[in-house]
Amino acid sequence: MAALRRWIDPYLLMLLGTVGLAALFPARGMWASIADEAVTIAVALLFFLYGARLAPSAIWAGLTNWRLQLTVFLSTFLLFPILGLGVYAVAGHVLPGGIALGLLFLCLLPSTVQSSIAFTSIARGNVPAALCSASLSNLIGVLITPLLAALLLPSNSGAGFSLSQLESIAMQILLPFAAGQAARPLIGGFILKHKLLTMVVDRGSILLVVYAAFSEGMVAGVWSRVSLADLALVLAFNAVLLGIVIAVTMFGSRKLGFSKEDEIAIVFCGSKKSMASGIPMATILFPGGAVSLIVLPLMIFHQLQLFVCAVLARNYGARD
């Protein structure tokens, strides 16, 4: 059992359990409205805690290494979207439209924060630079991801960069984050000392969003179009995406003359996609039951990136 836990993220099992709960007991009617309100509150609380945890000094300190930050930015918001367009062109012929769209949407998301920093630390890389890159990626991604969605997603996907969507993102993500930054001098120390609290809110809010999204998908009947073969294809497409980006960031950083520590930060920050930011954004950008199909590739990619990066971090950390 201990060996199994090393290779399978327990959080993935919780996500699968949440999907199963939504399949058996989807929220309907009044309960669906209550779930939507709870999701709004939970996402706002999640980004409030993000703001309260992040020290502004860490961002400014990391900005001095502008070459590293630019490399991570280009990997996250240029390389990934280009690859996503290619994958979408192929996947559209073999996968249901919502899932194929989800593969492209996945490529438009910002990087993760917690796991990027954790793996960089395990690999003995440049942790301050990773903290800055991952944090900036999420902040910038709040605006860039919807803009990229408007530019790259098909016009019939329902996604865009309307004023109403911008207002929703600002109210659910940017405003709570700014409030957390303002409250950081008062509660920052408490939050850093009580990491269990933030972990419960972090993971619990995502589980709630997943339940609401998949409930809506069950009520709309979208899951009748998904087969085991489709899931296998999603895993294969995700593996190709992750493998290409890791190879490009790894060998590209060496060609550009980065140190090994900087290379590690670039690889782990430039190859990840954030489920914590991605699922809330998907619920805003893609209203309706189809959002459960759109976030499916992201959920699979989340587990795949944890597995691959855990192995990679151990190999990096074992170097002389």
Side-chain angles (χ1 to χ4, degrees):
M1 186 62 69
L4 185 62
R5 283 197 297 266
R6 284 199 299 268
W7 295 107
I8 298 179
D9 181 16
Y11 188 43
L12 174 68
L13 301 180
M14 297 173 67
L15 284 169
L16 293 176
T18 301
V19 172
L21 181 64
L24 295 174
F25 306 103
R28 301 174 183 269
M30 178 186 71
W31 295 108
S33 299
I34 293 175
D36 289 340
E37 291 296 326
V39 164
T40 300
I41 295 172
V43 170
L45 180 58
L46 171 66
F47 282 90
F48 174 82
L49 291 177
Y50 279 170
R53 281 188 305 190
L54 181 60
S57 59
I59 296 180
W60 293 116
L63 284 174
T64 57
N65 195 343
W66 65 269
R67 291 179 66 245
L68 185 148
Q69 306 304 336
L70 179 61
T71 303
V72 172
F73 177 87
L74 292 177
S75 175
T76 303
F77 295 115
L78 181 62
L79 174 61
F80 254 117
I82 291 174
L83 293 175
L85 288 172
V87 166
Y88 177 70
V90 177
H93 297 289
V94 294
L95 285 171
I99 297 181
L101 192 65
L103 285 166
L104 177 54
F105 175 69
L106 156 73
C107 295
L108 312 182
L109 294 173
S111 180
T112 61
V113 178
Q114 293 95 329
S115 60
S116 294
I117 297 168
F119 285 130
T120 301
S121 177
I122 293 171
R124 296 190 288 133
N126 189 338
V127 174
L131 172 63
C132 179
S133 291
S135 302
L136 283 177
S137 178
N138 272 259
L139 290 176
I140 296 172
V142 171
L143 294 176
I144 288 187
T145 294
L147 181 59
L148 288 174
L151 292 174
L152 301 181
L153 295 182
S155 58
N156 60 356
S157 66
F161 197 67
S162 67
L163 290 178
S164 62
Q165 288 170 330
L166 181 59
E167 181 182 356
S168 296
I169 290 172
M171 292 298 294
Q172 291 190 42
I173 297 177
L174 282 180
L175 184 60
F177 184 90
Q181 282 278 285
R184 189 177 185 278
L186 299 176
I187 64 173
F190 174 84
I191 291 176
L192 290 176
K193 290 179 181 178
H194 297 80
K195 295 183 178 181
L196 179 61
L197 171 64
T198 57
M199 184 182 71
V200 170
V201 174
D202 189 349
R203 299 194 169 194
S205 61
I206 298 305
L207 292 176
L208 183 58
V209 173
V210 168
Y211 173 76
F214 277 78
S215 289
E216 198 169 356
M218 288 299 300
V219 173
V222 298
W223 282 99
S224 60
R225 306 197 302 267
V226 180
S227 66
L228 290 177
D230 293 333
L231 296 178
L233 283 172
V234 172
L235 179 61
F237 281 122
N238 279 340
V240 170
L241 280 171
L242 184 60
I244 292 175
V245 174
I246 286 178
V248 170
T249 53
M250 181 182 295
F251 295 108
S253 59
R254 294 175 186 177
K255 289 291 186 181
L256 292 173
F258 285 102
S259 67
K260 182 62 68 175
E261 289 74 18
D262 285 352
E263 173 194 322
I264 291 169
I266 290 170
V267 168
F268 288 124
C269 294
S271 64
K272 289 202 179 58
K273 291 298 178 179
S274 173
M275 188 166 65
S277 297
I279 293 180
M281 284 188 189
T283 62
I284 297 173
L285 294 174
F286 303 97
V291 71
S292 59
L293 290 180
I294 291 170
V295 301
L296 179 62
L298 175 59
M299 293 174 60
I300 296 176
F301 190 86
H302 172 79
Q303 174 59 27
L304 181 64
Q305 71 183 7
L306 290 179
F307 174 82
V308 172
C309 290
V311 175
L312 195 59
R314 283 198 291 267
N315 289 337
Y316 268 126
R319 73 187 186 280
D320 292 334

